[in-house]
Amino acid sequence: MEAVPARARAYVACVALLAVVCVLCVLPLSATHTSWSALALLTALYAACEHVVRRRLGGTFYPVLLAGAFLLPPSAAALVPVSAALLDRVEERPVGLRRVWRAAQPSLAVWGAAQVHWALGGRDTVVACDFPHALVPAGAAVLAFCLVLTALDGGLLAAGVGVPPTPLRQWGRVPLRRAWRGLLSRSLAPVAVHGLAGLMMAVLWRSRYGPVAALLVLLPMFVSCWVFAQYHRERAAHQATIRALVQAVDLKDGYTRGHSERVGQASVMIARELGMDDERVEVLRFAGILHDVGKLGVPTRLLRKDGPLTPEERRIIELHPEYGHEMVRGISFLGEARTAILHHHERLDGSGYPYGLVGGQIPECARVVAVADAFDAMTSTRSYSRARPVEAAVTELERCAGTQFDPRMVTALARALDRHGWHPAVTADEAAQRIPDRQPVAGSPSGAAR
């Protein structure tokens, strides 16, 4: 974490220098329009809010910053986040670089928002409480705020470092074409909500009720931030549970390490191609990742056996969907992913297991995972088979469509692969010169049941 690339340090220094220039060049011109008491109060308030939010809730808190953009000249508004960056404790290294970034990035963002707001006459609409006309310059200012944050965050990613101060991100350069992808869309909605709260603060601040009334706006914002923080903590706990289960399977069946994550990725590709909503796509991702969790109940000697399986050994391995379903039955957030874990080895013609379901009796999510599972099994090298090219795997899936696999799922995967491509990873140890032939498990053209 400490070995930050020199280009990233230079980038942060340039951003900080630009922030200083923006403040100093305009400050003398706007000094006569600045309410220094409002600036001092907003600065202290933002520092307190950032301390509470970062320590207790995690994340950032923009209503006070945006209220500053609506109330103060640009150069004065840019000073609001500086004290929070300098006073708040930084736990991740490098401390100095993170402090500079925490001060410079929001300073430039709020400076840009204030410039747009003032240029569109927003100050007059706030003072006059002129609704709905006040919404136009405020909305433009929020958009400018988001654009600046996005531009700076993407630049830092491209320069070779995860965006501070996120402790889970690792230093590492992101390709230029992907550095800004999704940043604006993810931040626009929450920042817009913070901007509306900031506008309410600014209007109340300029009204006859004064700053005390403006502070009341922060109470529901803190409540909403707390609710979102609880949601993200619960989601993080879910992810940790899933990671622990997958890691346990990978340790037990070393030949298929990484298989679960790739099946989850392929399941997501199919689900999105079918037009499923985001919630179902997430469920399909969980189903793909956990489809083989029942292998924890299968003896390790069978999972790692190099020779052909006996009929009795095959019957034991074919119990893994039921073991998996039993393991995750009490995990409520998985939803229909549990049925996919149970039925992902069923076949449309009824010759699958564990229950021999036919056609539409097989849950849709299980039909998605079945195709994703077989596809990755065919495109990955294992102890009993070498990896096939993607085109050959798709051809095999199409050949088995209608008997083993749902043709709709196979077509969706083929379309998604044409659009996005696939980069299969080798999951077996290829040090050996010769991989022994292996009899695939009955009911799977690729040995995916193993």
Side-chain angles (χ1 to χ4, degrees), residues 7-255:
R7 58 179 174 273
R9 293 181 179 274
Y11 177 80
V12 173
C14 290
V15 171
L17 180 61
L18 181 60
V20 171
V21 170
C22 290
V23 171
L24 295 182
C25 289
V26 189
L27 187 59
L29 300 177
S30 59
T32 56
H33 302 286
T34 301
S35 171
W36 298 106
S37 60
L39 173 60
L41 183 55
L42 286 170
T43 300
L45 184 61
Y46 178 72
C49 289
E50 275 291 280
H51 177 78
V52 172
V53 170
R54 286 186 185 275
R55 296 292 167 199
R56 302 297 181 185
L57 305 179
T60 53
F61 196 70
Y62 292 136
V64 177
L65 271 188
L66 290 166
F70 302 145
L71 289 169
L72 301 170
S75 55
L79 296 174
V80 173
V82 174
S83 63
L86 297 179
L87 297 177
D88 199 16
R89 187 173 62 181
V90 178
E91 296 178 353
E92 301 84 24
R93 297 181 179 180
V95 174
L97 190 70
R98 289 180 182 270
R99 285 194 187 279
V100 171
W101 180 256
R102 286 187 186 182
Q105 186 205 29
S107 290
L108 280 177
V110 75
W111 182 86
Q115 285 281 11
V116 171
H117 190 254
W118 277 54
L120 296 177
R123 180 175 180 273
D124 296 332
T125 60
V126 168
V127 172
C129 298
D130 186 10
F131 282 96
H133 298 97
L135 295 175
V136 175
V142 169
L143 179 59
F145 185 85
C146 277
L147 288 173
V148 174
L149 288 180
T150 298
L152 295 177
D153 280 347
L156 192 60
L157 286 171
V161 61
V163 179
T166 312
L168 295 181
R169 289 185 181 170
Q170 300 294 322
W171 304 131
R173 191 173 186 177
V174 175
L176 194 62
R177 66 181 182 278
R178 289 168 42 202
W180 290 270
R181 184 182 300 172
L183 292 179
L184 181 61
S185 59
R186 288 195 297 267
S187 63
L188 191 55
V191 173
V193 174
H194 286 210
L196 184 60
L199 180 61
M200 293 172 63
M201 282 188 64
V203 170
L204 286 173
W205 195 296
R206 292 298 188 187
S207 71
R208 59 191 180 90
Y209 301 106
V212 176
L215 298 182
L216 297 178
V217 175
L218 297 179
L219 182 60
M221 287 300 301
F222 270 116
V223 172
S224 65
C225 286
W226 180 83
V227 170
F228 277 111
Q230 295 301 109
Y231 165 76
H232 286 296
R233 285 171 183 166
E234 183 178 0
R235 184 180 175 84
H238 294 170
Q239 299 285 355
T241 300
I242 291 172
R243 281 197 302 271
L245 290 171
V246 171
Q247 287 171 0
V249 174
D250 285 347
L251 288 173
K252 190 178 182 72
D253 187 7
Y255 283 120

Side-chain angles (χ1 to χ4, degrees), residues 256 259 262-263 291 370-382 384-388 393 422 427 444-450:
T256 59
H259 169 66
R262 293 193 301 274
V263 173
H291 74 287
V371 172
D373 184 23
F375 172 75
D376 184 70
M378 286 188 283
T379 54
S380 300
T381 295
R382 298 187 174 191
Y384 48 83
S385 64
R386 288 191 181 276
R388 303 187 192 184
W422 182 258
T427 56
S444 172
S446 60
R450 181 74 180 274

